[in-house]
Each structure stands twice: as C-alpha cells, then as structure tokens.
Amino acid sequence: MSDLAAPLMPSSWRWRRMLPWALLVLLLGVVQTLLLGLTLRYEHSRAQERTDAAATAAAIDVRQVFARDLQSLQALLWNEPDLAQWRRDAADLLRERRELLRIEWRSEDNTLEAVVESPYRGKLFSRLPRGALALDSEAACASAMRLTVPAWSRSYFVPQAGGLGVEVIDVCLPITGAEGPRGVMAATLALSATIEAAVSPEVARSHELSFVEGDGTRLARAGLPRGAGVYRAERLVDVPGTTLALRLDSAGRGPRLIPNLATSLVLGLSLALTAVVALLVRDVRRRAEAEARLGEELALRRAMEDSLVTGLRARDLAGRITYVNPALCAMVGFSAEQLVGHATPAYWPPEMRADYEARQVHRMSEGVPPNESRDGYETTFMRANGERFPVLIFEAPLIGADGRQSGWMSAVLDISAQRRVEELSRLQQEQLQATARLATVGEMASLLSHELNQPLAAIASYASGSLNLIADEMPASTGPNLAMIREATQRIAEQAARAGRVIKSVHDFVRRREHSREPVDCDELVEGVLPLVRLQARKSATRIELALGWPPPRAVCDRTMVEQVLLNLTRNAIQAMEAQPPAQRVVSVSARADRAWVHISVSDRGPGIAPEVAARLFTPFFTTKSEGMGLGLSLCRTVIEQHGGALVFETLPSDDGAGIAGTRFTFTLPRAAAGTVSGPPDERADAALAAAQNAPAGSPGTAGRAAQALS
C-alpha cells in the first residue's frame, strides 16, 4: 500500500494546488467574459445612441431646410409682384438653393402661366411631360387654394436622361392679392439635394441618409459611405400634407471583440476593486444625471429669460447690478459687461442721476412698498444713443436658497410705445375737438353771412344814392371838400360791395361750394387790399414795398378769397414788427411767375417764428395773440390749397448769417394762360408810370404797378 500511495501523493497535491488557480482562472474567465459582453453591449448602445442622436438632428435640419425654402418661396409673393419681377426673383432663389429644381406660376384653373428652372441641371420634365406627373401636385395645389395655406404633395419619381431619375416633392403656395385669389405657386424640391443641404458634413462622412417608404423602399439617398446596416435609426419628417421617413444608416460595423484590453484585464484581475468601481460608476452616473438635470433646468431657464421681451435685472444689497438679461440690454443699448458690477448704471440719465441714487438708497434700506411691487412704478431710462424713454419697473426681494434676502429682482417694461399711442390718442381727441369747433364756426359764418347781407346791401344802396345826389345837386368844381366827400362815399360803396363778396366767399367756402375763378393781375389783387393795409401801416409807422414786376403776373383765382389771404398775411406781418424800431418796420409784397404758377410773397423784418410755434402754425385755433382765434393762417392755407397751390413760410437770415432778419410767407396760384392780358402793354405801362408819378403820397392809385415804396 505504501508503494501504491507514494506515486499518488504528488498527483493529488498538484491537483489541490491547481484547483484554486483553476477556480481563479475560471472566475477570471467568467468575469472577463461578462466584462467583454457588457463592454460590447455598452459600445453597441453608445453607437446606436449616436446614430439616434444624429438621426434626430438630421430630421430637425431637414425640417429647417423645408421651412427655410417655404419662407423663401413665400417671400416671392410679397408685394404682389408681376410675372417679370417674379421670374427674376425666382431665378435668384433657384441659383441660391440647389435643392429647388423648378418653380411654377399657375392660374386659378391650374393653368401653367410661368416656369423657372434651376440653372444647375437640365429641364426636369424632359423625358415625361409635366401633365403626366401632376396628379400629386394638383391635389396639393387644390388643397392649398382651398385652405389658403401652403401644402406639400407626396413624393414622386421623375425619370431623367441615361436611365436615371430623381425623387422630388412639390409644395404649393396660394397666390392672393387685394382682389382675392390669383392662383397658386408650385415649387419642386429634390429630396436627395434637400438631405445634402440639411445634413452637416460630419454626419454625411460617416452615415448614409435616405428617405424611405413605409415598406423600407429607398426613395432618395445622400452621404459619402454606404450604410453597414448595423446601426440604423429612422425619424419622421412631418410637413403639411405628407410625412417623410428619414433613415440614418451608420457606416460603422459592430464593436471589436476587445475594445480596451488593458482595462478589461485590470478590471478582471482586480476583483477587490470591482465593488469600488461599481460604486464609483453608480455615483458618477447619479452625479451625471444630476448635472444633466441641472444643465437642462439652467438651459430651460436661460431660454425662457432670453425669449422674454421684458427686461430682467438683479441687484445685490449694495445696489450693484449682478445680472441683466438680453431683453434689458437690447432695450437700453448697453451690453451686459457695461452694466454688471455697477451701482450707477449707464442707462440712468445724467440729469436724473442724483435723484435715482437717493431713491436707490431709500429702497435698499426701506424696501419696496407693496403697492409698487404689485403695480410697479414709472421712471425714465436712457438708451446708448442718448434717447430718453419711459419704463415701468416691478421690483421684489431676491431670496436665496438659505431663505435670506440677497438682493432685489426687477422686471423692466418699455412703455414708450404705449406713451406714443396715448399721445396719438390725445392728438386725435384735440383734432376732433378742433373739427367740432370748426363746424361751429361754419354755422356761425353761415348765420352771420345771412344776417349781414341786408345791412351791407343797405349801406351800398345809401352810398350809391348819395353819389347820385352829389352828382345831381352839386357841380364837380365846388371845392376840394366836396371831391373828398364824393371819393369817400365812393369808397364806402366799394368797401360795402367788397364786404358782401367776402361774406359770400366765406359762405361758399364753409359750404364747400365751387368758387368763381377768373384771370386777375397780381397788382389788382394787391390794390384791392392796399387801402385797408395802408390804414394799419400808418398807425404802426410801417412802410409797404411792392415788387410786382411789369407786366405783372396774371393768376386764375377767386379774387375775393385771395384778397383775404393777402390781407391776413400783411396784417400778420405788420403785427410781427410792433417791437421793432420804426426804421425797420417794412413789409414787402412781391410776385413772380414761372411756367405754370404765380408765386406771391409777403415778407417782414420781425424776430422770426420760434420752432415750437412753427410746428403748430397752421393748426386750427392755435394762436400766439391774446385776442386771436387761431383761424387766420389755417383758413389761408385751406383757400390756397383749394386753388391747387401751397402756402409755406421761411425764416430770413440776416446779412451776416448769425441772426434772423424776418419771415417770408409765399403762396402759389395757377398762372393764367398767355394772351389773357387786355390792352397793349406799352400803353398800360405808360399809364401806370404816369399815375405813379402824379398820384399823391396817400392815394392808392396804381402804385402797385409801378412797384414803388408806399408808407
């Protein structure tokens, strides 16, 4: 037995010694096998996740390309272009977008009116006519015209030369105008070119992208490599009217058997570290999940803050700005770097800075009243260009995670547009009130014209009767007094008749009747108002200078109404110089003509018109005179505009250019046709010159024709 047991001991001992190693190797093999399996599965999952993410991004990019092309096509229909302009714009768009192959303009009955082809390839429908492949397109266009929204057709195959072809899709946009529907515009897009335009080069170098049917049939492809068929992902691209399936096939094959041998050996042989690593992995995974959630929350919050049109501002307890959102930066025109960290912001107007600093100190110490936190308070900010604008601020305490107040949070609203609307409403209300007052003035003018016509007619009749009695009872040579009485009586009759014409013209003006227009010499217009102007000029020691030219210009106008305009402008000129020295009180009346218009100007040497007055000078009921009604210049402009002309004014600079030398009002009237002046010009000129030389200093006569100075 001893002889038999001796040789068995080494064999048994070797077996017992090898057993732990065998078990260890077996355990290592199991661990390594499991580790490799997990690693391969992990690598496979990561590759599939990358493919899924790339497919999602590619689908989003394709949608964006479709949306961009649709927006560009809609831009072709802005402003209702004609066909020539539409062709030019469509050709420019086709040169810019390679995925667009063809754009058609169709009438309401789907008749093809205009076509623009892409310059990068031949005619699309060269092998088959358009009508043979228009079923899906016509259905989409009918839907677009019925619903008045863009509609996409189903994709279809268009054969090309050489046995090739292209898979395309049509989009139809309704064409509407001011009169209603005008037709429909159809654009054809190549699906493969759309993928190439949408997908980034990185994705195209490592993936095969294609549009597929529901049964997996490939319609169009893009990308440099061929897909290996291991990692695939499909995403739906929804467009109005149809749905496209986008397939992403990665060129990568399955993961290698041992992606990282050193890591596998270390992990397999380090059983003691496996648990630690597992714990670390779990901790890292949890931390990554927490960071991902935190990142998503921060991204969501940042997106919300960036999308707001309301300005947000955070300040610490010392009043320094710690945060501003893009809306506030866009509102004030300063960048975040220019605002953050400053207790005195750049958007505070310099003239209000002291008040704002005092208010900030008070708010930092006392807090914000509850009513202001709820209703806000108004203040004024300054933009980077110096513009002041009103804002409405809502402010509340900023509470940290520990429950302590760390500062103040403010929401800032730009209410300048609201203020403009309120100001516009106020101006419209004033205009309505002015219109009501003008209507009242019109009623009063009608009433006064009716009541004053009879007394004026009686005055004219008495004056005419007095002239007849003087002519019958007293000879003309009885003395200068009788001549003056006769002339005064004649003036009474003339002014009474003129007053009647004025009342009739005002009555017709108020009732918007057609005025009588006749050719009138400018000197006759001036002489008609010169006696009344001279009376006021003598009271204020004002000289009147005339420069009417010879022959004087001849205008077509309502004589009475234009005389009223001249009278109003000359009286205003005389009143404007009341504060000037007597030597400078000069009113100049001039006239000139061009081919179609007669320009009549009234100038003074007063202090000019202030800018704030000039802005409202022709506004009804606006006046700078204590006894004025504010209707003179407004009615003057209305009268001139009814003649087809314009009434403007300008400030005259002094000789040295450093001051103001007066104001000139100029209005235009239609010029009378050539040949309407009666009498030979030479005889009229001689008569006017003789009358000017022989007339006394105070008589009106024909001094206007001679263009001499009157005082």
Side-chain angles (χ1 to χ4, degrees), residues 477-517:
S477 60
T478 55
N481 292 335
L482 184 59
M484 293 177 62
I485 293 174
R486 183 184 296 109
E487 182 179 0
T489 307
Q490 185 175 357
R491 295 296 183 189
I492 292 173
E494 292 175 356
Q495 294 302 321
R498 180 176 179 275
R501 293 195 302 272
V502 170
I503 291 175
K504 182 178 182 301
S505 298
V506 171
H507 185 267
D508 294 341
F509 169 76
V510 171
R511 299 190 64 181
R512 288 294 190 271
R513 291 182 177 175
E514 195 68 29
H515 298 282
S516 60
R517 308 287 172 84

Short mmCIF file of all heavy atoms in Angstrom, two decimals, residues 477-517:
data_model
loop_
_atom_site.label_atom_id
_atom_site.label_comp_id
_atom_site.label_asym_id
_atom_site.label_seq_id
_atom_site.Cartn_x
_atom_site.Cartn_y
_atom_site.Cartn_z
N SER A 477 -66.92 171.15 -59.45
CA SER A 477 -65.89 172.16 -59.18
C SER A 477 -66.21 173.02 -57.97
O SER A 477 -65.76 174.16 -57.89
CB SER A 477 -65.71 173.03 -60.42
OG SER A 477 -66.93 173.69 -60.73
N THR A 478 -67.01 172.54 -57.06
CA THR A 478 -67.38 173.37 -55.91
C THR A 478 -66.31 173.41 -54.85
O THR A 478 -66.44 174.16 -53.89
CB THR A 478 -68.67 172.83 -55.29
OG1 THR A 478 -68.46 171.45 -54.98
CG2 THR A 478 -69.85 172.98 -56.26
N GLY A 479 -65.28 172.54 -54.93
CA GLY A 479 -64.23 172.63 -53.93
C GLY A 479 -63.64 171.27 -53.60
O GLY A 479 -64.23 170.23 -53.92
N PRO A 480 -62.46 171.30 -52.96
CA PRO A 480 -61.82 170.01 -52.63
C PRO A 480 -62.60 169.19 -51.61
O PRO A 480 -62.53 167.97 -51.61
CB PRO A 480 -60.46 170.44 -52.10
CG PRO A 480 -60.67 171.83 -51.59
CD PRO A 480 -61.67 172.46 -52.50
N ASN A 481 -63.30 169.84 -50.71
CA ASN A 481 -64.05 169.08 -49.69
C ASN A 481 -65.11 168.21 -50.33
O ASN A 481 -65.33 167.05 -49.95
CB ASN A 481 -64.67 170.01 -48.66
CG ASN A 481 -63.62 170.69 -47.81
OD1 ASN A 481 -62.51 170.16 -47.65
ND2 ASN A 481 -63.94 171.86 -47.26
N LEU A 482 -65.84 168.80 -51.30
CA LEU A 482 -66.87 168.02 -51.97
C LEU A 482 -66.26 166.84 -52.74
O LEU A 482 -66.83 165.74 -52.76
CB LEU A 482 -67.65 168.93 -52.92
CG LEU A 482 -68.85 168.26 -53.65
CD1 LEU A 482 -69.84 167.72 -52.63
CD2 LEU A 482 -69.50 169.26 -54.60
N ALA A 483 -65.10 167.08 -53.32
CA ALA A 483 -64.42 165.97 -54.02
C ALA A 483 -64.03 164.87 -53.05
O ALA A 483 -64.14 163.67 -53.35
CB ALA A 483 -63.19 166.49 -54.77
N MET A 484 -63.55 165.28 -51.88
CA MET A 484 -63.18 164.28 -50.88
C MET A 484 -64.41 163.52 -50.40
O MET A 484 -64.37 162.31 -50.15
CB MET A 484 -62.47 164.95 -49.72
CG MET A 484 -61.11 165.53 -50.09
SD MET A 484 -60.32 166.39 -48.73
CE MET A 484 -60.14 165.07 -47.57
N ILE A 485 -65.56 164.28 -50.23
CA ILE A 485 -66.80 163.61 -49.80
C ILE A 485 -67.24 162.61 -50.86
O ILE A 485 -67.65 161.48 -50.56
CB ILE A 485 -67.90 164.64 -49.51
CG1 ILE A 485 -67.53 165.49 -48.29
CG2 ILE A 485 -69.24 163.95 -49.30
CD1 ILE A 485 -68.49 166.64 -48.04
N ARG A 486 -67.16 163.05 -52.14
CA ARG A 486 -67.56 162.14 -53.22
C ARG A 486 -66.67 160.88 -53.23
O ARG A 486 -67.15 159.77 -53.38
CB ARG A 486 -67.45 162.86 -54.57
CG ARG A 486 -67.93 161.98 -55.74
CD ARG A 486 -67.74 162.67 -57.08
NE ARG A 486 -68.55 163.88 -57.18
CZ ARG A 486 -68.05 165.13 -57.16
NH1 ARG A 486 -66.75 165.34 -57.02
NH2 ARG A 486 -68.84 166.18 -57.27
N GLU A 487 -65.35 161.09 -53.06
CA GLU A 487 -64.43 159.95 -53.07
C GLU A 487 -64.68 159.03 -51.87
O GLU A 487 -64.66 157.80 -51.99
CB GLU A 487 -62.98 160.43 -53.07
CG GLU A 487 -61.97 159.28 -53.14
CD GLU A 487 -60.54 159.79 -53.17
OE1 GLU A 487 -60.34 161.02 -53.13
OE2 GLU A 487 -59.63 158.94 -53.22
N ALA A 488 -64.92 159.66 -50.69
CA ALA A 488 -65.18 158.84 -49.51
C ALA A 488 -66.46 158.03 -49.67
O ALA A 488 -66.54 156.86 -49.29
CB ALA A 488 -65.26 159.73 -48.27
N THR A 489 -67.50 158.68 -50.23
CA THR A 489 -68.75 157.96 -50.44
C THR A 489 -68.56 156.82 -51.43
O THR A 489 -69.11 155.72 -51.27
CB THR A 489 -69.83 158.92 -50.94
OG1 THR A 489 -69.94 160.05 -50.06
CG2 THR A 489 -71.18 158.22 -51.02
N GLN A 490 -67.76 157.10 -52.48
CA GLN A 490 -67.49 156.04 -53.45
C GLN A 490 -66.73 154.89 -52.79
O GLN A 490 -67.00 153.72 -53.06
CB GLN A 490 -66.68 156.60 -54.61
CG GLN A 490 -66.46 155.59 -55.74
CD GLN A 490 -65.76 156.23 -56.93
OE1 GLN A 490 -65.48 157.42 -56.93
NE2 GLN A 490 -65.50 155.42 -57.94
N ARG A 491 -65.77 155.21 -51.88
CA ARG A 491 -65.05 154.16 -51.16
C ARG A 491 -65.98 153.34 -50.27
O ARG A 491 -65.83 152.13 -50.11
CB ARG A 491 -63.93 154.77 -50.30
CG ARG A 491 -62.85 155.45 -51.10
CD ARG A 491 -62.11 154.46 -51.95
NE ARG A 491 -61.02 155.09 -52.68
CZ ARG A 491 -60.31 154.48 -53.62
NH1 ARG A 491 -60.60 153.24 -53.97
NH2 ARG A 491 -59.33 155.12 -54.23
N ILE A 492 -66.96 154.04 -49.66
CA ILE A 492 -67.93 153.33 -48.82
C ILE A 492 -68.69 152.31 -49.66
O ILE A 492 -68.89 151.15 -49.26
CB ILE A 492 -68.89 154.33 -48.14
CG1 ILE A 492 -68.14 155.17 -47.10
CG2 ILE A 492 -70.06 153.59 -47.49
CD1 ILE A 492 -68.98 156.28 -46.51
N ALA A 493 -69.12 152.74 -50.83
CA ALA A 493 -69.86 151.82 -51.69
C ALA A 493 -68.99 150.64 -52.11
O ALA A 493 -69.43 149.48 -52.13
CB ALA A 493 -70.39 152.57 -52.92
N GLU A 494 -67.71 150.94 -52.47
CA GLU A 494 -66.82 149.86 -52.89
C GLU A 494 -66.57 148.88 -51.76
O GLU A 494 -66.59 147.65 -51.97
CB GLU A 494 -65.50 150.45 -53.39
CG GLU A 494 -65.64 151.24 -54.68
CD GLU A 494 -64.32 151.91 -55.06
OE1 GLU A 494 -63.37 151.80 -54.26
OE2 GLU A 494 -64.24 152.52 -56.14
N GLN A 495 -66.29 149.40 -50.56
CA GLN A 495 -66.00 148.50 -49.44
C GLN A 495 -67.23 147.71 -49.01
O GLN A 495 -67.13 146.56 -48.57
CB GLN A 495 -65.43 149.30 -48.26
CG GLN A 495 -64.08 149.91 -48.52
CD GLN A 495 -63.06 148.86 -48.89
OE1 GLN A 495 -63.05 147.77 -48.33
NE2 GLN A 495 -62.20 149.19 -49.87
N ALA A 496 -68.42 148.33 -49.14
CA ALA A 496 -69.63 147.58 -48.82
C ALA A 496 -69.83 146.43 -49.81
O ALA A 496 -70.17 145.31 -49.42
CB ALA A 496 -70.84 148.52 -48.85
N ALA A 497 -69.57 146.73 -51.10
CA ALA A 497 -69.67 145.66 -52.09
C ALA A 497 -68.63 144.59 -51.84
O ALA A 497 -68.89 143.38 -51.96
CB ALA A 497 -69.52 146.24 -53.50
N ARG A 498 -67.41 145.06 -51.49
CA ARG A 498 -66.35 144.08 -51.21
C ARG A 498 -66.71 143.24 -49.98
O ARG A 498 -66.46 142.02 -49.95
CB ARG A 498 -65.04 144.81 -50.97
CG ARG A 498 -63.88 143.87 -50.69
CD ARG A 498 -62.58 144.65 -50.57
NE ARG A 498 -61.49 143.73 -50.28
CZ ARG A 498 -61.16 143.30 -49.07
NH1 ARG A 498 -61.84 143.73 -48.03
NH2 ARG A 498 -60.17 142.46 -48.89
N ALA A 499 -67.28 143.85 -48.93
CA ALA A 499 -67.68 143.09 -47.76
C ALA A 499 -68.73 142.05 -48.12
O ALA A 499 -68.71 140.92 -47.62
CB ALA A 499 -68.21 144.03 -46.67
N GLY A 500 -69.63 142.42 -49.02
CA GLY A 500 -70.62 141.44 -49.46
C GLY A 500 -69.98 140.27 -50.19
O GLY A 500 -70.36 139.12 -50.00
N ARG A 501 -68.98 140.58 -51.04
CA ARG A 501 -68.29 139.49 -51.73
C ARG A 501 -67.53 138.60 -50.76
O ARG A 501 -67.48 137.38 -50.92
CB ARG A 501 -67.33 140.07 -52.78
CG ARG A 501 -68.02 140.77 -53.94
CD ARG A 501 -67.05 140.98 -55.10
NE ARG A 501 -65.89 141.76 -54.70
CZ ARG A 501 -65.82 143.10 -54.74
NH1 ARG A 501 -66.87 143.81 -55.16
NH2 ARG A 501 -64.73 143.74 -54.37
N VAL A 502 -66.91 139.24 -49.76
CA VAL A 502 -66.20 138.45 -48.75
C VAL A 502 -67.15 137.51 -48.02
O VAL A 502 -66.87 136.33 -47.81
CB VAL A 502 -65.46 139.37 -47.77
CG1 VAL A 502 -64.92 138.57 -46.60
CG2 VAL A 502 -64.33 140.10 -48.46
N ILE A 503 -68.28 138.04 -47.61
CA ILE A 503 -69.25 137.21 -46.88
C ILE A 503 -69.74 136.07 -47.76
O ILE A 503 -69.86 134.92 -47.33
CB ILE A 503 -70.42 138.08 -46.38
CG1 ILE A 503 -69.93 139.03 -45.28
CG2 ILE A 503 -71.56 137.22 -45.88
CD1 ILE A 503 -70.98 140.00 -44.80
N LYS A 504 -70.00 136.39 -49.04
CA LYS A 504 -70.45 135.32 -49.95
C LYS A 504 -69.36 134.27 -50.14
O LYS A 504 -69.63 133.07 -50.16
CB LYS A 504 -70.82 135.93 -51.30
CG LYS A 504 -71.33 134.90 -52.31
CD LYS A 504 -71.73 135.57 -53.61
CE LYS A 504 -72.28 134.52 -54.59
NZ LYS A 504 -71.32 133.48 -54.89
N SER A 505 -68.08 134.72 -50.26
CA SER A 505 -66.99 133.76 -50.44
C SER A 505 -66.81 132.90 -49.21
O SER A 505 -66.57 131.69 -49.30
CB SER A 505 -65.69 134.50 -50.76
OG SER A 505 -65.81 135.21 -51.97
N VAL A 506 -66.92 133.53 -48.03
CA VAL A 506 -66.80 132.74 -46.80
C VAL A 506 -67.94 131.74 -46.70
O VAL A 506 -67.77 130.59 -46.30
CB VAL A 506 -66.76 133.67 -45.57
CG1 VAL A 506 -66.84 132.87 -44.28
CG2 VAL A 506 -65.48 134.49 -45.59
N HIS A 507 -69.14 132.20 -47.06
CA HIS A 507 -70.29 131.30 -47.03
C HIS A 507 -70.09 130.12 -47.98
O HIS A 507 -70.34 128.96 -47.63
CB HIS A 507 -71.55 132.08 -47.39
CG HIS A 507 -72.81 131.26 -47.27
ND1 HIS A 507 -73.35 130.58 -48.34
CD2 HIS A 507 -73.62 131.00 -46.21
CE1 HIS A 507 -74.44 129.95 -47.95
NE2 HIS A 507 -74.63 130.18 -46.67
N ASP A 508 -69.61 130.41 -49.19
CA ASP A 508 -69.34 129.32 -50.14
C ASP A 508 -68.20 128.44 -49.66
O ASP A 508 -68.20 127.22 -49.86
CB ASP A 508 -69.00 129.90 -51.52
CG ASP A 508 -70.20 130.61 -52.14
OD1 ASP A 508 -71.34 130.34 -51.69
OD2 ASP A 508 -70.00 131.42 -53.06
N PHE A 509 -67.19 129.06 -49.02
CA PHE A 509 -66.05 128.29 -48.51
C PHE A 509 -66.50 127.31 -47.42
O PHE A 509 -66.08 126.16 -47.39
CB PHE A 509 -64.99 129.25 -47.97
CG PHE A 509 -63.90 128.58 -47.20
CD1 PHE A 509 -62.91 127.88 -47.85
CD2 PHE A 509 -63.87 128.66 -45.82
CE1 PHE A 509 -61.91 127.25 -47.14
CE2 PHE A 509 -62.88 128.04 -45.10
CZ PHE A 509 -61.89 127.34 -45.77
N VAL A 510 -67.36 127.80 -46.52
CA VAL A 510 -67.83 126.94 -45.44
C VAL A 510 -68.68 125.80 -46.00
O VAL A 510 -68.58 124.66 -45.57
CB VAL A 510 -68.62 127.77 -44.41
CG1 VAL A 510 -69.31 126.87 -43.41
CG2 VAL A 510 -67.69 128.74 -43.70
N ARG A 511 -69.48 126.09 -47.00
CA ARG A 511 -70.37 125.07 -47.56
C ARG A 511 -69.69 124.26 -48.66
O ARG A 511 -70.32 123.43 -49.29
CB ARG A 511 -71.62 125.72 -48.11
CG ARG A 511 -72.43 126.46 -47.06
CD ARG A 511 -73.78 126.90 -47.58
NE ARG A 511 -74.59 125.74 -47.92
CZ ARG A 511 -75.82 125.84 -48.42
NH1 ARG A 511 -76.37 127.01 -48.64
NH2 ARG A 511 -76.49 124.75 -48.71
N ARG A 512 -68.38 124.52 -48.92
CA ARG A 512 -67.60 123.76 -49.89
C ARG A 512 -68.20 123.85 -51.30
O ARG A 512 -68.23 122.88 -52.05
CB ARG A 512 -67.48 122.30 -49.48
CG ARG A 512 -66.58 122.04 -48.30
CD ARG A 512 -65.13 122.37 -48.64
NE ARG A 512 -64.21 121.91 -47.61
CZ ARG A 512 -63.85 122.62 -46.57
NH1 ARG A 512 -64.34 123.84 -46.42
NH2 ARG A 512 -63.01 122.13 -45.68
N ARG A 513 -68.70 125.02 -51.63
CA ARG A 513 -69.20 125.19 -52.98
C ARG A 513 -68.07 125.56 -53.92
O ARG A 513 -67.01 125.97 -53.51
CB ARG A 513 -70.28 126.29 -53.02
CG ARG A 513 -71.58 125.89 -52.32
CD ARG A 513 -72.60 126.99 -52.45
NE ARG A 513 -73.87 126.61 -51.85
CZ ARG A 513 -74.91 127.44 -51.75
NH1 ARG A 513 -74.82 128.67 -52.19
NH2 ARG A 513 -76.03 127.01 -51.19
N GLU A 514 -68.31 125.44 -55.21
CA GLU A 514 -67.31 125.78 -56.20
C GLU A 514 -67.21 127.30 -56.31
O GLU A 514 -68.20 128.00 -56.49
CB GLU A 514 -67.71 125.18 -57.56
CG GLU A 514 -66.59 125.16 -58.57
CD GLU A 514 -65.51 124.20 -58.16
OE1 GLU A 514 -65.82 123.21 -57.48
OE2 GLU A 514 -64.34 124.46 -58.53
N HIS A 515 -66.00 127.83 -56.16
CA HIS A 515 -65.79 129.27 -56.22
C HIS A 515 -65.62 129.72 -57.66
O HIS A 515 -65.18 128.96 -58.52
CB HIS A 515 -64.56 129.66 -55.40
CG HIS A 515 -64.70 129.33 -53.94
ND1 HIS A 515 -65.42 130.08 -53.07
CD2 HIS A 515 -64.20 128.28 -53.22
CE1 HIS A 515 -65.37 129.55 -51.86
NE2 HIS A 515 -64.63 128.45 -51.93
N SER A 516 -65.91 130.98 -57.88
CA SER A 516 -65.74 131.55 -59.21
C SER A 516 -64.28 131.88 -59.42
O SER A 516 -63.67 132.59 -58.62
CB SER A 516 -66.61 132.80 -59.36
OG SER A 516 -66.24 133.78 -58.40
N ARG A 517 -63.69 131.37 -60.49
CA ARG A 517 -62.29 131.60 -60.81
C ARG A 517 -62.22 132.49 -62.05
O ARG A 517 -62.93 132.26 -63.04
CB ARG A 517 -61.56 130.28 -61.05
CG ARG A 517 -61.74 129.26 -59.93
CD ARG A 517 -60.94 129.67 -58.72
NE ARG A 517 -61.23 128.81 -57.56
CZ ARG A 517 -60.65 127.64 -57.34
NH1 ARG A 517 -59.75 127.20 -58.19
NH2 ARG A 517 -60.96 126.93 -56.28
#
